Amino acid sequence: MRELCRAFLHRLASLFRRRHLEADLDAELRSHLEMAVEGNLCQGMSPEQAHRQALLELGGIEQTKEIYREQRGLPMIETTLQDLRFGFRILRRSPGFSVMAVLCLTLGIGANAAVFSWVEGILFRPYPAVSHQEQLLALTGTARAESGPTDISWPDLLDLQRSCTLIDSFIVSKIMGTTLSNGDRAEVMVGSIVSANYFDAIGVHPILGRGFEPGEDSGRNAHPVTVISFQLWQGRFKGDPQIIGKTQRLNNVEHTIVGVMPDGFYGTFVGWAVQFWVPASMEENFEAGGYKLEDRSARWIEAYVRLKPGVTRAQAQQEISAVARRLEADYPETNRGRGIKLWPLWQTPFNNSGTLLPTLEIMVAVVVFVLLITCANVGNLLLVRSFARRHEMTVRLAIGAGRGRLLKQLLTEGLILSAFGAAGGLVATHWCSHALVLLFPARGGVAMHLPGEIDWRVLAMSAGVCLLATLVLGLVPAMQIGKIDVAAALKSDSAGVLGGGAKAWARSGLVMVQVSLSFVLLVGAGLLLQSLQKIRNTSPGFSTHEVLDTAVNLVPAGYDAQRAQNFQDELLERVKALPGVESAAFARMTPLSYRSFSSTPIAVDGYQHPSEEQPTVQYNEVGPDYFVTMGIPLLSGREFTRADDEKAALVAVVNETMAAQYWRGRNPIGERVQVEGRWMQVVGVAMDSKYESVREAPKPFFYVPLRQNFDRSAGLYIRTPLSPETMATALAREVHALDPDLALYEVITLQEELDRSTSPQKVALTLVGVLGALALLLAAIGLYGVISFAVSQSSRELGLRMALGADASNLLRLVISRGLTLTGGGVLLGTAAALALTRLLGNLLYKVSPRDPLAFGSALVVMTIASLAACILPGWRAARTDPARVLRH
């Protein structure tokens, strides 16, 4: 074994001493030759005979050298190095071809790597710096009466924590925020309410100070402490090394800063970079609805669990479901019909991973299509180039080169191209890793945070794509080597414009693949475009273009409830008096915003719900004139008035779906509904509208007067034909007249709010559109290359046709018909593929069939135009053929 290792190391070392060893070899052979010549001269031979006999005895100088080289070196590595040198030399001789091939591969591999970096950074490993993310699962509630997931109450979470043995940690992480005045505008800070074990459970520790201690997440407003992010420390506090122990006012409560998190940690919410964390004991200060830590019916928690090593999700789910059934039996008033569900991180329903999952699923399929188109395009380039090198390959075969040796050379050239493409693709991926956030509008002045993650998995995927591209790029021209007949190949041949013979089918097949895949992407882009247009043109049930939305958060400014009510009343009177304002109203929640409406269990007088269900309905707190301002028609009854205050009888307005579901054809006006133990009288029925998504199905919903459930951070809605910019100036003036220390949120129309709510569809459309345009360009280039090559190879046929009477228009039609024939074949294949694949868009389509004829027809028109454009130049060259010159040569 030792001798083998020594021999291998000796052979390996010889690779780096080639010149020295070659000089030694020359000297040694020259010495042997001279001694052999001297011996022959002593035997009486003439000098010429002596030299010739010496050469014969040695067996040939070069042959002897090759034998020695094989014994001293590593032939496989040496031939590989030779192939690499030859490959670089060949590619350098054709810079146009090389640049085009590398550029195509860069786009294809870069698109794949970018999308996979988004998948890795948003779905699979979304939380930088968090350890062992594969053991993390999202935790939500379920309800038999509701289709989607629900939040969890704090008492339920404590019971789960005490009863589950397969789970290492239960981790609370609820996103929220606060506002700080910044001149005329309100600066929004994104924060998170967390459990005391949060930082220890996720394995991230402060670089200054400490995290939260056990017990700091219990008690009512008992622990006003905060941990801040590295970015906030560097930005707002200028990297103050003495920051620990200082205070920051958050929602008008002084919080002591006890820790600073490391750079690169942004919290555990996909889509927003968290800037500060507070313990759950401070929940009431940041969440509307009062103190919830002791209320089992108050469901507000967004949580994760960390499994113990070796525990599967199925095992943990089984244990949690058993605990949930016990809670349902022990607390029927609050837990009837409710369960607990675990989700993998990539399906987390309470952040943007769940929102972006359908889009990223589609993008994975799209970039695979683009990669196939890229490989087909470069394969076509290599195929055309292999025909140009046919004579070279024939000569090499004729002088003794093996077909395997030529195949290795071609694979090496493909490896060089794909390696350059992969390198360029990774550079493009680095540039695009944060590009996804550019497609999402900022909300409240806060930009989203959706970085890609370029880790070893993305690099391994890129290496795999590179190897796949190498095989494809090397095997395409290699197929032609196996068909070379050395004797026949020395004779020239020419294919016709219509591409008969074995040469054309491979090129044509690759072009048809490109056309078919491009057609599928164009159909997908057409479907998404129609869907987005219908979403944005569909009425959400309220006015959008002439209603403005803004807010003045009074909590951080220290307003108590009474002072806040007085401020809102005075501001409302001032706003209504402004020129151009038709009406105005306050409400706690904005429809179609990123915040969720509150929900509560209800009981309807006279309605018997199934014993296994506990009806839960969402609601909004709104002020007088809300319905007229929003443009939501009242079907019966009345709107809220100033008289519906905290001293008046409790009242509610229900939507038509709630009226139909719980009163079943009876008039609900005057009927009662119980909310949180209090009976309310229904005074109105409003038309259904959209609340959280334009795509949502009609669902029960009700409204209560803002004065009877007051919130200091309510939004202001203004019906006016004036622009947001004009109103923002006037509103800032009125707010400062009442309190110069207050600031406005951004002023936008509800149409802008609607457009923001459709961001996932817009992102999908943008990405599919960009990649579809890229695929179309690549397909057109491939078609142009095939037609152009066919024209150049069939010049003799074209000359004969013109000599026999064909005119320029005949040749132009011949060339264009060839291109349209290939396009037609590709479109047929693409249509079959699109009919099967566009169903994947179902989660993103709105009132559009996956087989919509308009989308297919539009894709056909675009594909035909691109094909005609690709064929025009080769057709024009064919029409200018000089028959006399061609036939003469």
Side-chain angles (χ1 to χ4, degrees), residues 794-806 881 883 886-887:
S794 55
S795 57
R796 184 175 181 83
E797 176 195 344
L798 294 174
L800 286 172
R801 286 176 179 270
M802 294 196 75
L804 294 174
T881 300
V886 170
L887 295 177

Side-chain angles (χ1 to χ4, degrees), residues 272-289:
W272 305 101
V274 178
Q275 297 168 281
F276 70 96
W277 295 264
V278 297
S281 59
M282 302 304 296
E283 171 272 332
E284 185 180 13
N285 189 51
F286 296 93
E287 288 273 309

Side-chain angles (χ1 to χ4, degrees), residues 100-115:
M100 177 64 72
V102 169
L103 181 59
C104 290
L105 288 170
T106 295
L107 295 175
I109 296 176
N112 274 266
V115 170

Side-chain angles (χ1 to χ4, degrees), residues 149-326:
T150 64
D151 291 336
I152 301 173
S153 69
W154 185 263
D156 282 351
L157 186 79
L158 295 181
D159 284 333
L160 289 169
Q161 192 169 2
R162 285 189 290 265
S163 304
C164 293
T165 61
L166 300 178
I167 293 175
D168 187 64
S169 304
F170 285 84
I171 309 163
V172 174
S173 176
K174 175 63 182 291
I175 193 168
M176 52 80 184
T178 188
T179 56
L180 303 174
S181 179
N182 185 14
D184 292 339
R185 301 297 300 274
E187 177 187 352
V188 180
M189 287 177 57
V190 179
S192 184
I193 303 170
V194 299
S195 51
N197 68 337
Y198 177 74
F199 297 113
D200 291 332
I202 63 176
V204 183
H205 304 287
I207 56 173
L208 291 178
R210 62 172 177 87
F212 299 126
E213 296 178 346
E216 286 188 332
D217 55 2
S218 61
R220 186 171 189 173
N221 298 321
H223 303 282
V225 293
T226 183
V227 175
I228 63 174
S229 69
F230 182 88
Q231 292 71 29
L232 183 62
W233 177 50
Q234 291 292 318
R236 189 172 186 84
F237 299 103
K238 311 300 182 186
D240 181 4
Q242 307 299 321
I243 189 65
I244 304 303
K246 294 187 177 180
T247 60
Q248 170 65 52
R249 184 172 291 274
L250 303 172
N251 268 23
N252 201 40
V253 174
E254 291 286 347
H255 285 68
T256 302
I257 298 173
V258 297
V260 177
M261 298 310 294
D263 189 15
F265 176 66
Y266 303 99
T268 49
F269 189 93
V270 174
W272 305 101
V274 178
Q275 297 168 281
F276 70 96
W277 295 264
V278 297
S281 59
M282 302 304 296
E283 171 272 332
E284 185 180 13
N285 189 51
F286 296 93
E287 288 273 309
Y291 183 61
K292 304 185 184 72
L293 266 63
E294 297 175 0
D295 185 356
R296 196 174 292 273
S297 66
R299 306 184 186 280
W300 61 279
I301 290 174
E302 296 169 353
Y304 300 91
V305 300
R306 182 182 289 283
L307 302 180
K308 289 184 176 179
V311 176
T312 66
R313 179 161 66 99
Q315 292 171 333
Q317 180 65 69
Q318 185 176 7
E319 182 181 50
I320 279 183
S321 297
V323 176
R325 287 192 294 270
R326 180 175 62 78

Side-chain angles (χ1 to χ4, degrees), residues 653-672:
V653 172
V654 301
N655 73 347
E656 55 184 316
T657 297
M658 185 171 177
Q661 180 170 329
Y662 293 104
W663 284 278
R664 306 188 182 210
R666 296 184 292 119
N667 186 0
I669 303 299
E671 300 290 340
R672 297 193 307 163

